[in-house]
Amino acid sequence: MGYQWSRRIREAFLGDESARLAALHEYGVLDTPADAELAAVVRVAAVLAGVPTATLNLLDEHRQCQLTTVGFEGADSARSDSMCQVVVDTGLPVHVADASLDHRFAANPWVTGQLARVRGYASVPLITPDGHVLGTLCAFDTMAREFTDTQITAMEDLATVVLALFERRKQARTTAALAVEAQAARTLAEGYAGQVEARQELTDAVHESIDVAIVVCDETGRLSMFNRAAREWHGLDPDAGLDSADWAGRYSLFARDGRTPLAVPEIPLFRALHEGKVVDQEIVIARVGRPPVRVVCTGRAMRRADGSLLGAVVAMSDVTVERAQRRELADRERLLTTVLDTAQDAFVVTDPDGVVTRWNPAAEAMFGWTSIEAVGRRLEELVFPQRADGESLLARAALGSTRLVRVPARRRDGTGLLVELSLAPFTWQGEKRFHAFLRDVTEREAARERLAMANSELAAANDELDRFTAMVAHDLKSPLTAISAYAEVFADSAEHGPSEAKAISAITRAAHRMTSMIDDLLDHARACHEPLSLRSLDLDTVVDDLAAELRAARDHVTITRDHLPAVPAHPTLLRQVMANLLGNAVKYVAPGVDPRVHVSAETTDGWVTLRITDNGIGISEESRDKVFALFHREHAGAGYQGTGIGLSTCKRIIDRHGGRIWIEPAPGGGTRACFTIPSRSHTAPPQRAGDDRQAVHRT
């Protein structure tokens, strides 16, 4: 076809705009999804033109409608912004290597970057057989490029294919309309052959091939035909003897609320018969025991060639799912609105320029601006003081670098606050926007600083106290040693009466208790300050050595163990833990009871759990956490010696190893002391749990 054909058409093209618009609307393609064939033509156009993007544009009174696109998401735009208006005005193909250098396009928003950055541009007209230019087949690129005459000619050929597809669609509609008219004419003709034959012929015509329900009545209002879909929805065949007053009850017809039975004048078939037509009336078919079917009804009266009434036909389309989806979408929107309006965090939406389009009540409370006052103003103007570096938060968000940050902000009255800001871009109807959640963390940050300062001061005080304890304990130990030595010398140097011997014995016992307490205090201080140098420690050897020491110091002591793993630990400190726990297990037994102690271990998820189970006097439930406090003595005054420091020291050592320690009752009485220690690396300790397994004893 080429340019020659286009020039011939141009002569016929110069008709008025109203005729062009009438031709465009006659094709019925505006606002209708493009079929696969049109989409294929546009894809071929992009390939032939050698560009990544192409579109099929139709221009009506006010807009450019991108019917189908390739390479980008199409949308409607103002006709005044259309580059293809030049083609529609002239009826000739247009192609430029760089639209930004062409005076016709340089200021166009599709070129400047407002809508796109078109450079290489080729467009051919869609011309009807009557010479009306409906729009264009357009191919373009963001890079400058030349287009050959062969490419333009090929695009013109494709434009001819598009018009042929439009014509076919129009003819299909015409054929369908003619088919309806033909059906009415056939119904009229068959009426002369008898009602039964007419009903059968009509049923055969519509048959079972469509999912749209068709109901028909004759001119007297007698039901004459239901197709398959109608029979399924109503659950009944048409009853020709049924009066129209009984239609709603018999066929379960309800208003759109699904509860109100349809009045006779509101029944779509009745309206079509008596009013001439019914358009998009929504009703509900609600059979008992079946899910309701929501339908949209369109119909009209049918007339014979002489104009006399023949009857009426109504088509019903099932919109149950569509309406349910609409309701669900509306419910979700209401839910989202409710959540955002009741959220404690401020929620704000802005356009690409940072102008506020949404401002929830929490934002009103936080910053003092009402929604009416805030919408239409820039977010940074309302909330954020000018940054020293001049960088926009929206610019950072567009690059994905402002997901969750703390930034200073200001209220309407000028007072400052610190907010935790989550700002991110999103796309709404093809336009980039930003949404932000803002949380006032002013008081939280101040409290955190106060807590950090208090913790620092507490840690310093604890360190100072530990150093003081170690120093005092060390300084007291020397005079106590001298007291003990002189008491022993005095006891051995001469004969003493009973009162003097008793006094010397009391002095010696008191000195020994004080020495024991000082040793425990030194151990406690060392547990905090000694460097934690870890190496593999064989727990079997540790327990065996301690058991031998305890059996040597006291008769009838039984200490057994399972096989225990080697663990990474500070040897001296962990041995001290085992010595304290085993020593307590042997010490705190009832009078006349021989101590029996069993040590077991379990390894799970990188942690070793040690359990020391005894047959002692036990610890009450309310005291199981108190025993780890410094100087707490659970059985003070009951004839058991102790300083109340040992378990506190154990807890410090286990804490430094990253584990935890606790007390639980032993099965059958007594106490079970448990602690965890990492077998490989420091992770969160496992949850405390009972040990129901039977231990394997060995002596």
Side-chain angles (χ1 to χ4, degrees):
M1 186 185 306
Y3 291 115
Q4 297 302 320
W5 185 86
S6 297
R7 283 194 288 270
R8 290 197 303 272
I9 291 297
R10 185 171 183 270
E11 297 175 359
F13 165 73
L14 300 175
D16 61 8
E17 174 69 0
S18 61
R20 187 192 75 82
L21 293 174
L24 173 62
H25 292 299
E26 185 179 358
Y27 280 104
V29 292
L30 279 173
D31 302 315
T32 301
D35 54 29
E37 294 171 326
L38 288 174
V41 171
V42 175
R43 288 197 299 271
V44 172
V47 172
L48 290 175
V51 296
T53 46
T55 178
L56 185 60
N57 294 329
L58 299 177
L59 277 66
D60 66 5
E61 293 90 336
H62 306 294
R63 60 180 174 146
Q64 172 181 274
C65 174
Q66 293 176 329
L67 194 60
T68 182
T69 63
V70 62
F72 71 106
E73 184 177 349
D76 290 355
S77 59
R79 179 173 173 177
S80 59
D81 292 337
S82 174
M83 296 177 67
C84 295
Q85 182 65 49
V86 174
V87 178
V88 174
D89 289 341
T90 63
L92 294 175
V94 172
H95 64 95
V96 295
D98 189 340
S100 67
L101 303 180
D102 191 297
H103 70 278
R104 295 171 295 177
F105 306 118
N108 191 281
W110 287 90
V111 176
T112 62
Q114 183 178 350
L115 296 177
R117 294 187 181 278
V118 174
R119 293 298 180 264
Y121 170 74
S123 181
V124 299
L126 303 174
I127 304 177
T128 69
D130 295 331
H132 299 298
V133 180
L134 307 181
T136 67
L137 178 60
C138 174
F140 58 90
D141 198 345
T142 56
M143 306 290 292
R145 57 168 297 106
E146 296 284 351
F147 296 93
T148 66
D149 290 345
T150 300
Q151 289 174 317
I152 301 303
T153 300
M155 289 181 64
E156 287 185 304
D157 291 341
L158 290 177
T160 303
V161 173
V162 171
L163 260 297
L165 294 174
F166 285 177
E167 286 288 340
R168 190 178 72 180
R169 180 180 290 189
K170 182 172 73 173
Q171 290 170 3
R173 290 201 315 275
T174 302
T175 301
L178 291 175
V180 173
E181 296 295 337
Q183 183 64 53
R186 185 162 56 252
T187 302
L188 178 63
E190 291 170 351
Y192 294 105
Q195 184 179 9
V196 175
E197 183 181 355
R199 182 181 300 116
Q200 184 61 47
E201 291 292 335
L202 185 59
T203 301
D204 290 343
V206 293
H207 207 261
E208 313 295 306
S209 60
I210 57 175
D211 292 327
V212 174
I214 305 294
V215 295
V216 179
C217 70
D218 63 16
E219 69 272 22
T220 65
R222 291 181 299 180
L223 297 174
S224 56
M225 192 274 290
F226 283 6
N227 74 337
R228 171 188 57 81
R231 294 194 304 275
E232 290 179 353
W233 295 349
H234 293 303
L236 296 168
D237 287 327
D239 184 349
L242 190 66
D243 188 84
S244 59
D246 299 322
W247 286 356
R250 175 70 65 86
Y251 296 109
S252 307
L253 305 179
F254 294 86
R256 63 187 303 162
D257 63 7
R259 298 185 300 274
T260 306
L262 275 181
V264 173
E266 295 300 318
I267 296 176
L269 189 60
F270 186 91
R271 291 183 58 194
L273 183 65
H274 293 86
E275 299 175 15
K277 67 177 180 178
V278 60
V279 178
D280 294 339
Q281 180 183 354
E282 186 173 325
I283 68 171
V284 175
I285 302 172
R287 289 171 51 195
V288 176
R290 294 288 300 275
V293 180
R294 188 171 295 275
V295 297
V296 170
C297 306
T298 298
R300 64 184 179 88
M302 297 183 294
R303 298 188 177 276
R304 298 181 180 89
D306 61 2
S308 61
L309 186 63
L310 175 63
V313 58
V314 168
M316 297 182 289
S317 301
D318 185 355
V319 295
T320 307
V321 174
E322 177 190 348
R323 294 295 189 267
Q325 291 174 341
R326 286 186 183 180
R327 288 195 300 273
E328 182 180 1
L329 181 59
D331 290 344
R332 288 181 178 179
E333 290 179 350
R334 284 193 294 272
L335 175 61
L336 178 60
T337 298
T338 301
V339 169
L340 294 178
D341 285 348
T342 57
Q344 294 184 348
D345 291 345
F347 177 74
V348 180
V349 177
T350 76
D351 67 10
D353 297 323
V355 176
V356 173
T357 60
R358 178 73 183 271
W359 185 268
N360 77 338
E364 294 181 350
M366 185 178 296
F367 298 109
W369 300 96
T370 67
S371 177
I372 295 176
E373 294 169 329
V375 171
R377 299 182 64 179
R378 289 178 56 82
L379 176 62
E380 295 184 336
E381 170 192 344
L382 293 171
V383 174
F384 300 113
Q386 183 66 34
R387 291 174 56 89
D389 56 10
E391 184 181 13
S392 166
L393 287 170
L394 294 180
R396 293 175 57 192
L399 298 174
S401 57
T402 308
R403 286 292 178 180
L404 185 62
V405 295
R406 289 186 181 90
V407 293
R410 65 165 176 259
R411 301 181 181 89
R412 181 176 183 173
D413 60 8
T415 58
L417 69 160
L418 183 66
V419 297
E420 193 171 70
L421 169 68
S422 175
L423 179 63
F426 70 102
T427 301
W428 172 258
Q429 296 181 347
E431 180 183 62
K432 177 176 285 188
R433 296 195 180 188
F434 297 89
H435 68 77
F437 285 92
L438 303 100
R439 176 175 298 175
D440 185 352
V441 295
T442 308
E443 181 57 32
R444 187 180 75 185
E445 290 303 307
R448 181 178 295 174
E449 291 179 2
R450 291 194 297 269
L451 179 60
M453 182 176 295
N455 285 338
S456 178
E457 293 174 352
L458 180 60
N462 284 337
D463 288 344
E464 184 65 26
L465 180 60
D466 287 336
R467 286 191 293 271
F468 175 76
T469 300
M471 180 185 69
V472 170
H474 184 272
D475 290 347
L476 288 177
K477 196 168 184 180
S478 295
L480 280 174
T481 302
I483 291 171
S484 298
Y486 280 117
E488 291 176 2
V489 170
F490 184 66
D492 295 338
S493 63
E495 293 294 334
H496 305 289
S499 60
E500 289 85 353
K502 183 177 180 181
I504 293 171
S505 178
I507 292 171
T508 302
R509 289 196 303 273
H512 287 165
R513 284 198 301 274
M514 181 63 84
T515 300
S516 177
M517 180 174 288
I518 291 171
D519 288 339
D520 286 348
L521 285 172
L522 289 173
D523 289 341
H524 191 270
R526 185 170 63 252
C528 298
H529 298 291
E530 185 167 335
L532 195 65
S533 176
L534 303 182
R535 66 172 184 265
S536 180
L537 180 63
D538 184 356
L539 291 177
D540 282 343
T541 301
V542 171
V543 172
D544 290 345
D545 290 345
L546 292 172
E549 293 175 8
L550 292 169
R551 283 194 292 267
R554 179 170 177 172
D555 295 333
H556 309 297
V557 173
T558 301
I559 299 178
T560 61
R561 64 170 173 82
D562 296 341
H563 172 67
L564 306 177
V567 296
H570 187 291
T572 303
L573 295 181
L574 194 61
R575 190 180 191 281
Q576 185 178 348
V577 171
M578 295 301 298
N580 282 337
L581 296 180
L582 289 172
N584 285 349
V586 170
K587 179 193 301 182
Y588 293 103
V589 294
V593 175
D594 293 335
R596 294 193 310 277
V597 184
H598 181 72
V599 182
S600 61
E602 179 183 13
T603 302
T604 55
D605 299 329
W607 288 85
V608 175
T609 302
L610 272 295
R611 295 181 175 89
I612 295 90
T613 306
D614 63 43
N615 63 335
I617 58 178
I619 298 175
S620 62
E621 181 176 358
E622 61 272 14
S623 298
R624 289 174 191 157
D625 291 329
K626 297 178 182 178
V627 295
F628 295 105
L630 189 62
F631 300 122
H632 177 86
R633 293 184 60 199
E634 178 64 14
H635 301 291
Y640 298 98
Q641 296 296 322
T643 62
I645 301 174
L647 286 179
S648 176
T649 302
C650 291
K651 186 177 186 309
R652 283 201 169 192
I653 294 172
I654 296 303
D655 286 346
R656 291 191 65 195
H657 280 78
R660 63 185 182 89
I661 185 169
W662 68 96
I663 299 294
E664 60 188 34
T671 300
R672 174 180 285 164
C674 309
F675 68 88
T676 60
I677 192 167
S679 63
R680 294 186 301 272
S681 60
H682 289 67
T683 58
Q687 294 295 318
R688 188 180 306 181
D691 184 10
D692 297 331
R693 302 187 309 160
Q694 295 294 325
V696 179
H697 294 274
R698 57 176 291 187
T699 302

